[in-house]
Amino acid sequence: MATEIHISQSNARKITSLNPATGETLRELECADVAQVQAAVVRARAAQGTWFQLGVKRRVGLLREFQARLHASKSQIAAAITREAGKPLAEALVTEVLVVLDATRFLIDNAWHLLREEPLPHGSLATKLKRGRLLREPHGVIGIISPWNYPFSIPATETLAALVAGNAVVLKPSELTPLVALELAELLHASGVPRDVFQVVIGEGPTGAALLNSAIDKLVFTGSVRTGKRIAAAAAERLLPVVLELGGKDPMLVLQDADIDVASSAAVWGAFVNAGQACLSIERCYVHRSLFDSFAAACAAKTKQLRLGNGMDANTDVGPMIHEPQVQIVEAHVEDAKARGARVLVGGRRLPELGANFYAPTVLAEVTHEMRIMREETFGPVLPIMAFDDQEEAVRLANDSEYGLAASVWTRDAKRGERLARRIHAGTVMVNDVISCFGISEAPHGGVKASGIGSTHGRFGLEEMVRLKYLDTDRVPRMKKLWWHAYGESFRRQMEGFLDLQFGRGLMKRLSGALRAAGAVRRKRL
Ligand code: NAD
């Protein structure tokens, strides 16, 4: 049984986990209140010391066990994800389970050498007699607040990095997908991670706020820019370090020499994977004017072939959206675009015949940057396509956004694509691929501008889970340092000599500096 926080009063606030495809109630759960969140953090702190003392190798051993258990239960976990988040089973396997298995592989292979003590040799003559080392110490208790769109891979990748580094974790998953988080807890506990070292607190925003305000040592937040800004403001009050993985409005740039068939398939997958509810979704597509008509026609034709339905059916390409408020945002963005002159090539409406949360994958043409669909995060199945005339305009349009999570450039000329990629303001730019960067366990994941602060995944995600401590040991403890009191004119001259010895131009200058500095060794110090 996973660690859950229950409150006994009958008036405890409850959340209901629903299947977004069918509306069926999966389970009711009670929300953790402030006292319960605080108590979870106290338990986590008490357990963290022993967890850290286990050492990286033993913790890596538990990760191996976790990986084996996850692999063995891959279909069961994928089904739990599909039931609660709606995405097709194949996506649950590839974009969630596979991502976590591989992130675990990365930590198993690399945690030991990335976390080990590092010698820090000194370059300066003044400090040659000292031995420096860099230690990577866990923060203590890491709070993780996660969203519903990747309810397994997001909290799991963050949690595994935090745990292997020796932290305890208290996770507040999205109120829309609590059951997947409890599956994660069950797997971790069965693998040998102590219950107090990884805990889940269930609830809505107030439970997240309680975690933020508790005695955690760092917070890793993934969610919307709106909530992220509130988190950052509250964290600033107490100088709590935070990682913020926030929204995106990722551009796709299709250059004149792109392969239309490949790029249009990428656009359709990138816009409609997880019903467009991915932070890395293609939300803006810019196509060279010479390709526009054929590219848009190819996208429309491929979109028409998508099979919509319950993600539990293996033939489903696109499942439902998560819930009504998200459908309303998509509807509002599409209606705004239509009212301002956008042309709907396919879709553009709800699909009540399939269920309350289904919205037709939609391709829009004649869109402009005055429309909400090109400025605000839509987070739904819409592919707006806009023409550009030259490369400069493409870069300007791509960068004309408050977001900077990821981007992609499509061209047959990889060098040209890379040159353009360097000019795009984003945490990641892919040339001839989209979204898969999230599954590249070595790559840092994180955005610039409003898309966030800091990284998760890979080496840099692991670095976020530790604080650096510089350890310095003097090799000649019985010697008073040359730069200590008492000063005087001859000492000033000796130090000038010392600076010349190290930084003077030419051998003569250095030698003369050495002669003047030599007296400092014999100088009487207090
Ligand atoms: P959200 O901001 O509404 O909620 C995220 C989490 O924050 C939830 O667990 C929620 O309960 C909690 N929360 C809400 N109010 C809070 C408060 N005041 N204090 C503390 N916690 C609070 O986001 P969402 O709708 O769950 O997720 C969708 C958003 O997440 C999109 O904007 C998407 O782009 C973004 N996202 C970003 C990444 C990334 O890696 N950059 C990944 C996935 C999703």
Side-chain angles (χ1 to χ4, degrees), residues 177-199:
T177 51
L179 299 183
V180 174
L182 295 178
E183 294 278 353
L184 172 64
E186 208 160 313
L187 272 174
L188 285 167
H189 295 155
S191 309
V193 174
R195 284 171 181 276
D196 288 348
V197 168
F198 178 72
Q199 298 174 71

Side-chain angles (χ1 to χ4, degrees), residues 145-149 154 172-175 203-205 208-209 221-225 227 230-231 245-248 279 377 379 405 445 451:
I145 299 180
S146 57
W148 46 265
N149 64 330
I154 290 175
K172 206 300 279 175
S174 168
E175 56 274 31
E204 302 169 296
F221 172 80
T222 310
S224 62
V225 172
T227 313
R230 292 173 70 178
I231 301 257
E245 295 283 10
L246 308 179
C279 56
E377 189 181 42
F379 223 55
L405 192 54
H445 174 67
S451 291

